[in-house]
């Protein structure tokens, strides 16, 4: 699947990808996973605020990624919710990783996830193509498992005014990941909330800088 001219109008029939491939042969891929809801079986259409937020970030960070020889792909899940087990977003993320391999070969991949997308990333980080996870305002419940991050890199960023997901839980998750991860660190984004609407430039810069650093 190539980049769509207007992915906001795409019909939802399954998971899909918005691709912006670097010119020539890319050296890596940033696979973006958007946020969602704790419970919802609604399809992720072009009106989904969570998907649109990541789509806007993708458009902003892609030029810098391309300069570094890195492609950006954005996954759109079939459903908006985690729904207890995360079965749908996890399955869709694994499908997207297989698509990267099918289309581009065995390139290194960084997972760039926001909120529920960060939680999904933590579950699929054990994929052999994944070198690390950049988690933006992540949703990490206190008992969230860290095993899939073994040998991988983790950068988690959280704002202190987030009332949707917990900065304290994110810090706890990072500490639990440190013994098994290749590296794990927490980035304090200051007085910002969950939706990255304040200090947007700082969020975008942190996202692309961290992703490119992990690919290096």
């Amino acid at each position: 699947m190539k980049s769509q001219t207007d992915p906001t109008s795409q019909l939802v029939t399954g998971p899909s990808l918005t691709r912006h491939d670097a010119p020539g042969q890319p050296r890596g891929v940033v696979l973006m996973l958007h946020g969602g809801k704790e419970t919802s079986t609604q399809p992720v259409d072009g009106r989904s605020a969570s998907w649109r937020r990541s789509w806007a970030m993708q458009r902003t960070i892609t030029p810098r990624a391309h300069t570094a020889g890195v492609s950006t792909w954005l996954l759109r899940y079939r459903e908006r919710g985690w729904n207890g087990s995360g079965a749908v977003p996890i399955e869709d993320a694994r499908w997207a990783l297989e698509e990267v391999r099918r289309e581009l070969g065995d390139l290194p991949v960084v997972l760039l996830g926001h909120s529920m997308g960060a939680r999904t990333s933590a579950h699929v980080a054990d994929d052999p193509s994944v070198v690390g996870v950049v988690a933006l305002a992540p949703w990490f419940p206190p008992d969230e498992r860290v095993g899939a991050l073994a040998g991988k890199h983790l950068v988690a960023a959280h704002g202190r005014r987030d009332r949707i997901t917990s900065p304290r839980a994110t810090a706890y998750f990072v500490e639990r990941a440190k013994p098994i991860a290749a590296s794990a660190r927490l980035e304090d984004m200051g007085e910002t909330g969950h939706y990255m609407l304040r200090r947007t430039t700082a969020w975008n810069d942190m996202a692309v800088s961290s992703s490119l650093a992990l690919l290096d």
Side-chain angles (χ1 to χ4, degrees):
M1 283 175 229
K2 302 300 182 183
S3 302
Q4 294 89 12
T5 303
D6 181 14
T8 63
S9 63
Q10 185 179 344
L11 293 176
V12 180
T13 57
S16 63
L17 291 159
T18 302
R19 286 178 56 173
H20 295 299
D21 287 312
Q25 177 60 41
R27 66 180 182 88
V29 176
V30 175
L31 176 58
M32 301 178 66
L33 306 181
H34 63 83
K37 297 179 178 294
E38 184 171 356
T39 304
S40 175
T41 57
Q42 282 188 292
V44 182
D45 58 23
R47 296 169 295 179
S48 165
S50 296
W51 177 82
R52 292 181 73 95
R53 195 169 294 111
S54 290
W55 183 52
M57 177 176 279
Q58 183 189 28
R59 287 182 295 163
T60 300
I61 70 174
T62 289
R64 186 169 164 189
H66 281 188
T67 298
V70 173
S71 298
T72 67
W73 290 30
L74 170 61
L75 171 65
R76 181 175 0 190
Y77 316 118
R78 287 167 288 165
E79 295 180 358
R80 300 188 185 199
W82 185 258
N83 299 321
S85 66
V88 169
I90 290 170
E91 183 178 316
D92 291 350
R94 293 203 184 277
W95 167 83
L97 287 162
E98 288 294 341
E99 285 294 292
V100 171
R101 275 189 289 273
R102 187 177 68 82
E103 291 281 333
L104 301 177
D106 292 322
L107 292 182
V109 176
V110 167
L111 300 172
L112 174 58
H114 174 237
S115 192
M116 188 185 81
R119 188 177 187 182
T120 304
S121 297
H123 280 256
V124 303
D126 55 357
D127 184 275
S129 295
V130 173
V131 296
V133 170
V134 177
L136 309 177
W139 175 27
F140 289 148
D143 59 349
E144 191 61 66
R145 67 186 193 185
V146 298
L149 288 161
K152 309 299 172 82
H153 298 277
L154 170 66
V155 179
H158 223 129
R160 286 176 235 142
R161 290 186 178 271
D162 196 327
R163 301 295 181 264
I164 306 299
T165 57
S166 169
R168 182 175 295 182
T170 296
Y172 179 55
F173 182 88
V174 171
E175 287 303 311
R176 290 193 297 121
K178 282 181 178 179
I180 65 166
S183 67
R185 68 180 177 88
L186 177 64
E187 185 83 14
D188 181 1
M189 296 302 293
E191 300 298 318
T192 63
H194 185 71
Y195 298 110
M196 305 183 294
L197 299 177
R198 287 189 62 190
R199 303 189 69 226
T200 302
T201 299
W203 280 105
N204 289 337
D205 182 66
M206 198 287 306
V208 68
S209 296
S210 298
S211 296
L212 295 178
L214 295 190
L215 286 170
D216 289 336

